Amino acid sequence: MTSGGSNGRGAALGVALACVLGAVRPAAAQGSPREGPLRAAEAAYAQGRLAEAGVAYEAAIAAGRLERDGLVRAHLRLGLLARLGAEDDRARRHFVVALALRPDVPAPEALDAEAGFEALRRARDGERLRAVLETSDPSEPVRVDVRGAPEGLVRTVELSGRGGFARRLRWTGRPLAVEAPAAARPLFVRVLDAHGNRLAEAGTPPAPEAPGAPSSERPSSVREPTAEPVGPDDDEGPSLIESPWLWIAVGLVAVGAGVAIGVSASGDRFVLDAPVVR
Amino acid sequence: MSARRGVLALGLAVGLAGCVSERVIGLELRPPRGPDGGPDVPAALAAWEVRLVRLEGDEGCPGPEASAAGRTPRLGHAQSFPAADGMGVAIGEVPPGRWAVTALGRDADCGVRLHGCAELVLDDGAPTRLVVETSPVATGATCGCRACDAGVCAPLLDVCE
């Protein structure tokens, strides 16, 4: 049994996370970073305010800024909370989304959910939600497909490429054929849910423009497609965007935030042992 | 400079990963005591049923009638094990909050012979062991909306209106 209070540790974690974010990108520590709403939900869950946590997880998803790990975690928690409310259909829908995003995600051990979760995992047979981009023949339209998606989850497909090429398409469940100029290739496709959360990606992300290129070569009216609101954090200068260290740092922040979220969410994990008659 | 910051972030992240702790709580069902101080379990007892129910607001433990008949919403877990076995299976991870742990000793007809309930608060002050003291009860309630099968109300996880 631990002696430290979870509130104290939570505060320490908050400070540590702020340090992690601040060490790389000070502005991010002050604003509402991508996983901010999720952290609020995790805190409520960890403190046993489950009704509040459920609302907060829904809000985190609705904010449309979750990366895959955060999205998986939110759906797992919502599945557990739904199960606690005896809403089995709703629980199953959340669990299926989590499994589609990460087929090897560990089963929730709480509240007898493990057996049902494993049954869902077997039913999906390891199928992962993935984007498929077929661009083999430059003279043919690009073919975009989404496979392994639970019904109704995918709403939008974004296709982007060089020279500011960008298409935002509504997903109807059937493969899409998109006319894309040869100069736009290689292409990149991103699959989003109804809120703009990123579900899957394929292809080659557009590279930053070469340093020193005249700004007039970038059409100002075309932005890389995004489902997120453009906030202050998106106003990076070109020199920072071009820096490979930025992307390394962003990756490290994502890892750090993920670990911190996991730790703060778990805090103390309470495990009830087998009942013994004595 | 950026590389150093990245390494710092990674170091902090790895350091944070070591903070996870698991708190295992032992669960003991305690029948009435006999003259010799040992457990005085009715001979007719066929099975034990353990139910974990989430409590909200100022709710307290559900009574024997409600527990026996499965009229306990927010049921988090339920299990039954033969009285002869003396122990059930691990319940596993339970979210923080207030919970009621109910123990029912049933005879072969699912009549309740023993009942006990203890409140469990999972927070910083959570105990390492929870004892559920049971005592004889006389309730006509059996399984509620469920069916009795040799001392076990099935489906065990069903919640009755």
Side-chain angles (χ1 to χ4, degrees):
Chain A
M1 187 168 166
T2 57
S3 57
S6 64
N7 288 342
R9 181 167 46 251
L13 281 173
V15 171
L17 182 59
C19 291
V20 169
L21 293 169
V24 181
R25 195 176 180 187
Q30 301 165 13
S32 62
R34 186 172 286 275
E35 307 285 352
L38 182 61
R39 284 209 305 277
E42 297 283 54
Y45 183 89
Q47 291 163 20
R49 294 179 277 118
L50 299 190
E52 183 182 328
V55 172
Y57 281 120
E58 296 278 10
I61 292 174
R65 297 174 66 87
L66 294 180
E67 296 291 358
R68 183 186 303 232
D69 283 347
L71 198 54
V72 168
R73 190 162 189 87
H75 280 290
L76 279 178
R77 292 292 201 208
L78 283 170
L80 268 178
L81 295 172
R83 198 189 171 288
L84 183 57
E87 299 175 81
D88 288 345
D89 286 346
R90 191 157 163 262
R92 188 169 60 248
R93 284 199 297 275
H94 284 297
F95 287 156
V96 165
V97 172
L99 283 165
L101 296 173
R102 196 169 294 282
D104 60 348
V105 66
E109 296 171 0
L111 305 177
D112 298 328
E114 191 171 0
F117 191 85
E118 292 301 342
L120 290 173
R121 194 200 303 276
R122 284 193 297 276
R124 285 194 60 83
D125 196 24
E127 190 175 23
R128 177 189 290 269
L129 189 161
R130 63 190 196 283
V132 178
L133 187 59
E134 295 177 9
T135 60
S136 55
D137 186 349
S139 64
E140 294 290 321
V142 174
R143 186 179 160 90
V144 180
D145 199 359
V146 179
R147 297 182 187 156
E151 189 177 348
L153 176 64
V154 176
R155 292 295 175 86
T156 308
V157 171
E158 290 180 346
L159 188 64
S160 57
R162 297 174 63 185
F165 173 80
R167 294 287 184 277
R168 186 180 171 90
L169 308 158
R170 183 170 174 271
W171 178 247
T172 61
R174 281 184 285 194
L176 300 163
V178 185
E179 297 286 352
R185 305 184 187 208
L187 296 167
F188 178 65
V189 64
R190 178 176 284 160
V191 175
L192 308 174
D193 69 7
H195 309 289
N197 295 299
R198 298 171 186 179
L199 304 173
E201 296 171 340
T204 307
E209 296 294 327
S215 60
S216 59
E217 290 182 9
R218 293 182 77 174
S220 60
S221 60
V222 180
R223 292 180 65 95
E224 183 180 347
T226 174
E228 302 159 16
V230 178
D233 286 355
D234 295 316
D235 293 330
E236 298 287 359
S239 60
L240 185 57
I241 289 289
E242 289 159 12
S243 167
W245 289 111
L246 171 70
W247 303 109
I248 293 171
V250 167
L252 292 172
V253 167
V255 170
V259 171
I261 287 167
V263 171
S264 64
S266 301
D268 288 335
R269 292 174 69 239
F270 299 103
V271 176
L272 264 179
D273 212 345
V276 178
V277 180
R278 288 204 177 95
Chain B
M1 188 63 181
S2 294
R4 269 180 281 168
R5 287 175 171 171
V7 170
L8 175 61
L10 183 62
L12 279 169
V14 170
L16 287 168
C19 299
V20 182
S21 66
E22 183 172 284
R23 297 170 66 170
V24 178
I25 299 164
L27 179 55
E28 185 177 323
L29 311 185
R30 193 173 168 87
R33 300 287 104 176
D36 61 350
D40 182 17
V41 180
L45 208 69
W48 287 97
E49 181 177 324
V50 175
R51 301 171 69 80
L52 182 68
V53 176
R54 181 165 175 77
L55 299 177
E56 289 188 348
D58 57 357
E59 280 180 334
C61 268
E65 294 271 348
S67 293
R71 294 196 307 270
T72 49
R74 299 185 299 281
L75 177 68
H77 170 90
Q79 64 173 275
S80 180
F81 56 93
D85 287 0
M87 71 177 293
V89 296
I91 292 173
E93 185 183 350
V94 178
R98 286 175 63 239
W99 299 85
V101 181
T102 300
L104 298 159
R106 295 185 186 270
D107 59 28
D109 297 324
C110 294
V112 178
R113 300 297 186 100
L114 296 175
H115 168 265
C117 182
E119 194 175 314
L120 174 63
V121 181
L122 297 179
D123 61 9
D124 292 346
T128 56
R129 189 175 71 122
L130 181 74
V131 178
V132 182
E133 301 274 1
T134 65
S135 55
V137 291
T139 171
T142 52
C143 291
C145 63
R146 302 164 296 168
C148 179
D149 181 12
V152 179
C153 294
L156 201 54
L157 289 168
D158 274 13
V159 174
C160 305
E161 293 294 327

